[in-house]
Amino acid sequence: MACFSLATQPSPMAMRRAGLLGRYFASPFRLLCRQISVEPQATVDRLKESGLLRTQGLIGGKWIDAYDGKTIQVQNPATGDVIASVPCMGRNETTNAISSAYNTFSSWSKLTASERSKCLRKWYDLIISHKEDLALLITLEQGKPLKESLGEVSYGAAFIEFFAEEAKRIYGDIIAPTIDDRRLFVLKQPVGVVGAITPWNFPLAMITRKVGPALACGCTVVVKPSEYTPLTALAAAELALQAGIPPGALNVVMGNASDIGDTLLESTQVRKITFTGSTAVGKKLMAGSASTVKKISLELGGNAPCIVFDDADLDVAVKGSLAAKFRNSGQTCVCANRILVQEGIYEKFANAFAKAVQALQVGNGLIEGTVQGPLINEAALEKVETMVQDATAKGADVVTGGKRHSLGMTFYEPTVLGNVNKEMLISRQEVFGPVAPLMRFKTEEEAIQMANDTNAGLAAYIFTTSMPRSWRVSEALEYGLVGVNEGLISTEVAPFGGFKQSGLGREGSKYGMDEYLEIKYVCLGNLKGT
Ligand code: SIN
């Protein structure tokens, strides 16, 4: 354990040993006035003191237990320790959360855009001023390294800031009439109550990417965060209340996923479902939305190709592929799932890439230097194992890694598999773990054909120094996001979403607003009358 207080201010060397210097370089003021710790229990205590460790659902501005008193435990995936218990809610609590959102819609949607924008801006400021506490919470319940969690808080907050600004830019249209005593207008109005179902891999950013535009447009929201990571959602909701977002505009329920999901789907008061998660669940939500014809946006699974051409800059390709593959230990929908390498550069790339992968430090995300945390749970670990076993049984070589990590729990060794082919499960399904399968190709046409040979279409990456090839291949790829010579491309200002079975609609950017707006045509007639 490393724990410092103002009374015994640590030397830079002591802080470096405890893994905190990088964090406090960014925030020297806090260095002087905060007690900090990397020991999990002390971290929980610190969060309690800051008032951000909320352990009840939020309905109509009130913190609520499950009506039957049932709870679920939230565990730290790096240690197995229970961090807290939260209510295991179901149909009744969800129905009340929907009513509360529905009742608040009439007042929230009637505020001016500028008033809504100010609340969102305040929420953004509060998230940023609690950046370190939120990051600790993310690492505790999700497992990602603290540095990545800090990055997620900045990324997540940026959606609130961006949409606070976009709130003021919801424009309509005036259309030239076809009859001279008429005037034709297009208004954009909020869809109504939104049900937002969010995943565990980005406990904050996937909420803000949905709730930011929804609130900016004048919608109200019922959020169901993942049962694995509800604490970050609850902390964000606490800050929303502090920011003056009115009670009932943002509600949070968690627990029995199918009961909560069904209640949201069946309700005629919920006009929109937004979901990030697996393609299988997305299809169920799409089918379930049909009976009440809800607007729906889905951000589903990917099978991202990362194509390294012979003419790539080797260092750029290694660095970019590493980032695209190993962010969040491979647990993102945009993680490279297949690394396609042209035969002329294959050996050189495989060697340099494997060396970089071997250098990735695995461990508890609270510890300095960790760049790979645990997987979220045992099922995720077993899935990775099954896919690696399937690939090796069908002829893939283990270049590095290939088994559970000696740290135990759900840690898996950062792995590179060579000579993977399309018969192997790992080339057809998302592995969602720290395993990089390398596949060979000969020509540009073959690479494009291999890359597009999947039902998924979220993200793709290419590495080449040829400008014409960058354009040709970007245009030919059937994917919603393409990174050229870059492995980390997500940002609040650009549209995020997939082709094919990777989803519907776009999040982030100006396009992300449309998902929460209805278009209304108004015909003003008889202008020649009195
Ligand atoms: C995801 O994995 O669903 C989100 C990744 C991102 O926003 O970059």
Side-chain angles (χ1 to χ4, degrees):
M1 164 176 166
C3 183
F4 308 121
S5 71
L6 182 60
T8 54
Q9 193 183 319
S11 67
M13 180 59 86
M15 287 194 70
R16 189 177 284 114
R17 272 202 306 273
L20 296 161
L21 198 58
R23 188 150 69 88
Y24 279 84
F25 265 144
S27 187
F29 173 71
R30 289 194 177 87
L31 169 62
L32 298 174
C33 60
R34 285 252 187 135
Q35 182 167 8
I36 50 179
S37 172
V38 292
E39 197 272 326
Q41 188 49 49
T43 304
V44 171
D45 293 343
R46 169 185 161 154
L47 289 165
K48 277 188 190 149
E49 275 166 35
S50 72
L52 287 188
L53 194 68
R54 284 282 174 192
T55 54
Q56 291 171 296
L58 182 64
I59 301 177
K62 295 201 164 54
W63 296 102
I64 307 265
D65 288 323
Y67 297 156
D68 61 6
K70 280 195 190 140
T71 57
I72 37 178
Q73 294 185 331
V74 184
Q75 288 186 347
N76 178 343
T79 61
D81 293 341
V82 175
I83 307 164
S85 292
V86 295
C88 182
M89 294 174 151
R91 282 189 174 269
N92 293 338
E93 296 86 347
T94 308
T95 302
N96 287 344
I98 294 169
S99 301
S100 142
Y102 187 76
N103 294 335
T104 312
F105 177 71
S106 49
S107 51
W108 177 251
S109 60
K110 286 192 184 64
L111 291 182
T112 62
S114 156
E115 285 166 327
R116 286 198 300 271
S117 174
K118 283 187 185 114
C119 288
L120 286 169
R121 175 73 211 192
K122 184 98 193 287
W123 192 18
Y124 164 79
D125 289 339
L126 284 170
I127 292 173
I128 292 299
S129 66
H130 290 88
K131 185 172 174 178
E132 287 137 15
D133 285 334
L134 289 167
L136 284 171
L137 207 43
I138 292 173
T139 295
L140 272 184
E141 65 177 351
Q142 199 277 336
K144 67 178 68 172
L146 197 51
K147 198 169 165 209
E148 274 196 54
S149 297
L150 287 162
E152 181 179 345
V153 179
S154 301
Y155 178 48
F159 288 108
I160 303 296
E161 184 188 40
F162 180 85
F163 287 111
E165 291 156 1
E166 283 303 289
K168 294 178 271 183
R169 297 190 194 108
I170 301 171
Y171 302 123
D173 265 319
I174 299 174
I175 298 175
T178 51
I179 297 173
D180 71 356
D181 76 339
R182 290 185 175 183
R183 295 295 177 267
L184 315 184
F185 302 95
V186 173
L187 308 180
K188 290 196 179 173
Q189 295 184 322
V191 288
V193 175
V194 174
I197 304 175
T198 60
W200 49 263
N201 61 344
F202 288 86
L204 180 71
M206 295 304 103
I207 291 178
T208 55
R209 189 153 84 183
K210 297 176 191 321
V211 174
L215 292 176
C217 291
C219 299
T220 52
V221 191
V222 177
V223 178
K224 189 208 86 64
S226 162
E227 289 65 53
Y228 295 113
T229 56
L231 300 174
T232 308
L234 295 171
E238 163 66 31
L239 295 175
L241 285 180
Q242 289 179 21
I245 291 171
L250 173 61
N251 304 275
V252 185
V253 290
M254 74 234 77
N256 185 322
S258 58
D259 281 357
I260 296 172
D262 288 346
T263 311
L264 289 170
L265 290 173
E266 287 159 19
S267 168
T268 51
Q269 292 182 334
V270 175
R271 294 309 315 140
K272 154 103 192 172
I273 292 287
T274 170
F275 169 71
T276 295
S278 72
T279 304
V281 174
K283 287 179 182 177
K284 285 190 188 152
L285 293 172
M286 197 170 168
S289 295
S291 63
T292 50
V293 193
K294 293 188 204 310
K295 205 171 160 85
I296 181 155
S297 35
L298 302 171
E299 196 265 274
L300 308 177
N303 179 3
C306 175
I307 310 173
V308 181
F309 288 99
D310 281 347
D311 62 13
D313 176 314
L314 187 65
D315 290 343
V316 170
V318 168
K319 192 165 160 256
S321 309
L322 199 71
K325 174 68 249 183
F326 290 96
R327 175 179 176 217
N328 199 7
S329 301
Q331 302 174 109
T332 88
C333 302
V334 290
C335 274
N337 202 54
R338 299 168 285 158
I339 304 190
L340 316 182
V341 192
Q342 202 163 10
E343 56 185 4
I345 199 174
Y346 186 94
E347 300 305 333
K348 257 203 280 182
F349 176 84
N351 289 338
F353 185 66
K355 209 166 147 206
V357 172
Q358 279 155 9
L360 297 173
Q361 189 175 315
V362 180
N364 185 324
L366 292 178
I367 291 171
E368 166 75 356
T370 296
V371 289
Q372 293 288 285
L375 296 182
I376 190 69
N377 58 23
E378 185 63 27
L381 185 66
E382 282 168 13
K383 180 180 172 192
V384 168
E385 276 187 310
T386 306
M387 284 190 162
V388 170
Q389 276 156 15
D390 171 81
T392 50
K394 291 177 181 158
D397 331 311
V398 176
V399 182
T400 186
K403 57 183 190 309
R404 288 181 185 230
H405 197 278
S406 56
L407 284 172
M409 296 303 299
T410 53
F411 291 97
Y412 195 83
E413 292 179 345
T415 295
V416 179
L417 299 178
N419 293 316
V420 169
N421 64 46
K422 68 176 191 179
E423 306 313 321
M424 299 170 189
L425 219 48
I426 202 154
S427 74
R428 314 222 54 89
Q429 290 175 20
E430 222 177 0
V431 62
F432 232 65
V435 181
L438 306 186
M439 303 173 80
R440 282 175 199 264
F441 69 91
K442 288 190 169 68
T443 63
E444 184 179 304
E445 293 66 35
E446 187 190 4
I448 293 167
Q449 187 282 325
M450 285 166 78
N452 288 340
D453 182 22
T454 168
N455 285 330
L458 188 55
Y461 306 89
I462 60 180
F463 291 91
T464 174
T465 48
S466 156
M467 186 54 80
R469 171 172 273 161
S470 301
W471 277 109
R472 263 194 324 264
V473 179
S474 296
E475 287 179 6
L477 289 169
E478 296 162 357
Y479 288 83
L481 292 78
V482 179
V484 181
N485 295 322
E486 190 47 77
L488 292 177
I489 59 171
S490 306
T491 156
E492 74 281 6
V493 299
F496 188 105
F499 284 22
K500 300 186 193 165
Q501 295 184 24
S502 283
L504 287 176
R506 292 295 179 268
E507 295 193 317
S509 78
K510 63 174 182 174
Y511 305 102
M513 292 290 274
D514 294 339
E515 304 292 330
Y516 299 91
L517 293 167
E518 289 284 13
I519 290 178
K520 182 181 283 177
Y521 154 56
V522 179
C523 172
L524 191 63
N526 202 16
L527 290 190
K528 290 184 182 147
T530 49

